[in-house]
Amino acid sequence: MHALRIFGWSFAITALGVAAAGVLGGPRDVAIVAILAILEISLSFDNAVINATILRRMSEWWQKIFLTLGVLIAVFGMRLLFPIVIVALTAHLSPVDVFDLALNDSAQYAEKLGDAHPAIAAFGGIFLFMIFLDFLFDPEREIQWIRKLEEPLRRAGQLDVIPIVVALVALLVVGEAFSGDHTQQVLTSGVASLATYLAVRGLGEFFEAQGIGAEDDGADDDSAVGGAVAAGDTAAPARSGGTPKLVLATGRAAAFLFLYLEVIDASFSFDGVVGAFAISQNIFVIAAGLGIGAMYIRSLTVYLVRRGTLSEYIYLEHGAHYAIGALAIILAVSIETEVPEIVTGLVGVAFIGLALVSSIRHRRKEAAAGGDDAGQDDEPDTSREPAPAPL
């Protein structure tokens, strides 16, 4: 029943989207909506894992916001309005003119969106690459999946600027060697993406450091405590009566975590939105299909948090971050070379699958050893809970 409650919104949105497609467009549009939804889910499963590492730091009230207001932003904002804004900026047209194109000349709209792809790929690629680098170079990350690779990078992460330097070097290489005639467009979008990432992350860290996350945002104490237990957080400020209380991010700190989640979702949605025009050029059909897929990804995110799956399968977070790194590279390659969506989806699924298998093997070793740390050679030290992914 708990799972049904979490996925209830997804089922409702699916029914509405399919019904609307059937009434307005007929069986063909219903089939296209279903295909696009499956495509979005396959491309974004790693997104659910990454989102869960952040969402588990937020109160249950903010988790509900992620499933309600966040869905409206994901469906109508990122899948419908954002492509129009991108085309308006790159084609130097007004949003009204672009919307008119989308309604009355979908072929030309798709062409202009394709022209904007270098900027889209650069922005999304750098943002995702920074997430990947911050994970690899996190000096506080204790659990390691590929120790021989991750341990030296973790130690190098003692120098905070390493991820930024690596990202800027990668952007220069892509801009000069792999962007063809789009060098200026790629460099501008990449720098804008890096600035966005650092600003959102920095503001979130600032508010958390100032303790602003303890503000009341509508969640009662019991729900906050229950959410903290489910998330595995360990912050325990004392209550007025002296009883320790587990607290998740709320108030402005949670608001910036929520904003961070939305920007991550945008970065993951870029390739799906552009690739969807190979299946349909109707912006409303595309928004319906991708929106249904996005809804399931968000429900899956909450499910992972409530079930504590990331604590049970300790390498899922690693696999998701490696999938993100691969997606960032694929976005860079796609600036000049078309990459089929099936390749992107399979790469992500492969990393998640390998991480899941490794996690299951680790659990079996722990069980066989009676709960003692069974890792040897390249197995990580997992005697402690994994630290939440840094923002």
Side-chain angles (χ1 to χ4, degrees):
M1 179 62 69
H2 183 60
L4 289 178
R5 284 200 300 268
I6 292 175
F7 285 90
W9 279 100
S10 298
F11 297 146
I13 294 295
T14 300
L16 289 174
V18 170
V23 171
L24 300 177
R28 180 178 179 275
D29 283 352
V30 170
I32 292 175
V33 166
I35 292 171
L36 289 173
I38 295 172
L39 175 67
E40 178 73 5
I41 293 171
S42 66
L43 289 175
S44 301
F45 185 81
D46 47 352
N47 188 12
V49 178
I50 297 301
N51 285 350
T53 65
I54 301 169
L55 196 66
R56 64 179 177 175
R57 298 166 56 190
M58 300 165 69
S59 68
E60 186 172 340
W61 188 85
W62 275 98
Q63 292 175 14
K64 293 177 180 177
I65 292 296
F66 178 73
L67 269 179
T68 52
L69 176 61
V71 167
L72 293 177
I73 296 174
V75 176
F76 295 104
M78 299 314 306
R79 272 74 180 180
L80 184 62
L81 298 181
F82 186 75
I84 292 175
V85 173
I86 288 292
V87 172
L89 291 174
T90 56
H92 305 291
L93 297 172
S94 71
V96 175
D97 291 336
V98 175
F99 190 70
D100 182 67
L101 272 181
L103 289 178
N104 302 310
D105 192 349
S106 56
Q108 186 177 357
Y109 172 75
E111 181 182 349
K112 290 188 177 297
L113 184 61
D115 293 339
H117 178 69
I120 294 173
F123 189 96
I126 287 298
F127 197 94
L128 294 176
F129 197 51
M130 278 299 301
I131 295 174
F132 174 61
L133 292 176
D134 269 351
F135 177 79
L136 282 186
F137 288 105
D138 178 15
E140 298 179 358
R141 180 167 52 83
E142 298 171 353
I143 294 180
Q144 298 173 16
W145 185 24
I146 308 174
R147 177 179 291 274
K148 291 181 179 179
L149 171 65
E150 295 176 10
E151 177 60 21
L153 296 177
R154 186 193 68 81
R155 292 178 179 175
Q158 299 288 340
L159 187 60
D160 291 340
V161 298
I162 286 291
I164 300 174
V165 172
V166 173
L168 286 174
V169 171
L171 177 60
L172 288 174
V173 171
V174 171
E176 293 296 330
F178 300 102
S179 299
D181 299 329
H182 308 290
T183 299
Q184 181 177 355
Q185 193 177 11
V186 167
L187 292 178
T188 301
S189 297
V191 171
S193 175
L194 182 60
T196 301
Y197 178 87
L198 294 176
V200 175
R201 187 192 66 177
L203 287 171
E205 289 177 347
F206 171 77
F207 284 122
E208 284 190 292
Q210 295 299 314
I212 294 176
E215 294 176 358
D216 181 20
D217 59 12
D220 56 40
D221 290 348
D222 292 337
S223 66
V225 174
V229 173
D233 284 344
T234 56
R239 301 176 68 174
S240 57
T243 304
K245 172 186 174 184
L246 299 176
V247 179
L248 293 178
T250 60
R252 276 174 282 182
F256 275 99
L257 283 175
F258 175 77
L259 177 60
Y260 183 61
L261 282 173
E262 294 305 317
V263 179
I264 291 177
D265 179 74
S267 300
F268 273 97
S269 69
F270 288 149
D271 58 331
V273 171
V274 175
F277 278 91
I279 301 173
S280 173
Q281 294 184 340
N282 185 316
I283 61 171
F284 298 109
V285 170
I286 290 174
L290 297 183
I292 290 172
M295 186 68 230
Y296 279 99
I297 290 299
R298 285 167 181 268
S299 295
L300 180 60
T301 296
V302 175
Y303 181 79
L304 292 175
V305 172
R306 301 287 172 82
R307 290 293 301 270
T309 304
L310 296 182
S311 297
E312 294 179 13
Y313 301 96
I314 61 173
Y315 301 132
L316 276 182
E317 186 178 349
H318 296 70
H321 279 91
Y322 280 106
I324 283 180
L327 178 57
I329 294 173
I330 289 173
L331 284 172
V333 171
S334 71
I335 293 174
E336 285 293 303
T337 304
E338 183 177 355
V339 180
E341 282 74 19
I342 186 65
V343 173
T344 306
L346 288 176
V347 168
V349 169
F351 276 114
I352 295 295
L354 289 172
L356 180 60
V357 170
S358 296
S359 300
I360 293 173
R361 290 178 59 191
H362 171 77
R363 291 185 66 188
R364 288 176 178 173
K365 287 182 179 180
E366 275 201 330
D372 293 333
D373 198 6
Q376 296 180 4
D377 298 328
D378 285 350
E379 292 294 330
D381 176 11
T382 56
S383 59
R384 286 174 284 185
E385 287 290 322
L391 177 62

